[in-house]
Amino acid sequence: MTSASAWAAPLIELLGLAHPPVAITFGTQPATSSDRSLPAQPAGCCFWEPAQRQSLHTRAADHANCSAGSYTHGLIDMATAASGVDSAALISSGWITPADFDLVARLPFRPASIRYEPLTAATSPDVVLVRLSPSSLMTLQGACPDLRLATKPQCQIIPLAYDGRISVSPGCAVSRARTGLPAQEMTCALPAASLPAVIDRLRQAVAADQTAASYAAADRRRFATLD
């Protein structure tokens, strides 16, 4: 069986990624004490960017500053999430309503730990994150037209992907402010188990795009001579 780390290079090449993919693995054992040097973060999505370079072993307390993220990752229940001070601020602003919260996806279990790391370092991840440009989204959608465009909060793409659905988020105002995600990028969560099939479909989509683009470029040149 191909190691998960072998999926990184074709994903980067086929999608033209500017950043390395990140693997997310949900553990049944708590993070060890040796991982307690982990800097505090305002939300779980803030682990995504540093995990492009290093392995981060987190526990529920590391996600506790964001009620929405703790809920989507199965770490707290709806009542606890809705009672959070941060949730009250988001609801009072009109950014999200209590009814919206009821529709937010969440993991169907409570993980004892969550590991974020470069895909090249992963063995058996559950979810793989990639940062997409509009061009790479075009390629991915061509290969996987059934991908889902997720609403806010952005972090619900993780449980959606765990459930087997390729999910793209245009970002949400809260996550973009916390992570500094550039305006020209968006985040996609891929079910790790589907990556071999996705990569095969991407190869076909890229080849088709290149053929179609060559035709369109020639057509553009042809019409340019008529000016």
Side-chain angles (χ1 to χ4, degrees), residues 74-86:
L75 301 171
I76 58 176
D77 58 24
M78 172 61 78
T80 303
S83 65
V85 173
D86 55 343

Side-chain angles (χ1 to χ4, degrees), residues 49-99:
E49 193 278 335
Q52 294 173 170
R53 300 177 296 277
Q54 60 181 310
S55 296
L56 305 172
H57 299 256
T58 70
R59 55 187 179 182
D62 298 313
H63 296 253
N65 293 318
C66 178
S67 295
S70 293
Y71 174 74
T72 60
H73 285 60
L75 301 171
I76 58 176
D77 58 24
M78 172 61 78
T80 303
S83 65
V85 173
D86 55 343
S87 295
L90 297 177
I91 291 170
S92 65
S93 72
W95 186 78
I96 196 169
T97 69

Side-chain angles (χ1 to χ4, degrees), residues 183-208:
Q184 67 273 21
E185 293 182 359
M186 60 202 81
T187 308
C188 173
L190 302 157
S194 72
L195 278 185
V198 168
I199 289 169
D200 284 344
R201 291 162 72 178
L202 281 172
R203 289 193 174 104
Q204 297 174 39
V206 167

Side-chain angles (χ1 to χ4, degrees), residues 36-54:
R36 291 305 92 219
S37 59
L38 191 69
Q41 298 289 349
C45 57
C46 295
F47 295 118
W48 299 352
E49 193 278 335
Q52 294 173 170
R53 300 177 296 277
Q54 60 181 310

Side-chain angles (χ1 to χ4, degrees), residues 73-166:
H73 285 60
L75 301 171
I76 58 176
D77 58 24
M78 172 61 78
T80 303
S83 65
V85 173
D86 55 343
S87 295
L90 297 177
I91 291 170
S92 65
S93 72
W95 186 78
I96 196 169
T97 69
D100 293 331
F101 249 125
D102 290 336
L103 301 176
V104 171
R106 72 189 298 259
L107 284 178
F109 62 97
R110 190 181 194 277
S113 64
I114 304 175
R115 186 168 72 252
Y116 303 89
E117 61 191 335
L119 180 56
T120 52
T123 52
S124 299
D126 296 298
V127 172
V128 173
L129 283 175
V130 291
R131 290 167 62 176
L132 302 176
S133 65
S135 177
S136 52
L137 174 59
M138 175 196 72
T139 301
L140 180 61
Q141 188 177 43
C144 305
D146 56 341
L147 63 78
R148 172 169 175 170
L149 181 65
T151 58
K152 56 190 173 184
Q154 176 176 231
C155 53
Q156 70 174 312
I157 63 174
I158 304 303
L160 287 171
Y162 182 84
D163 191 43
R165 290 173 279 182
I166 299 173

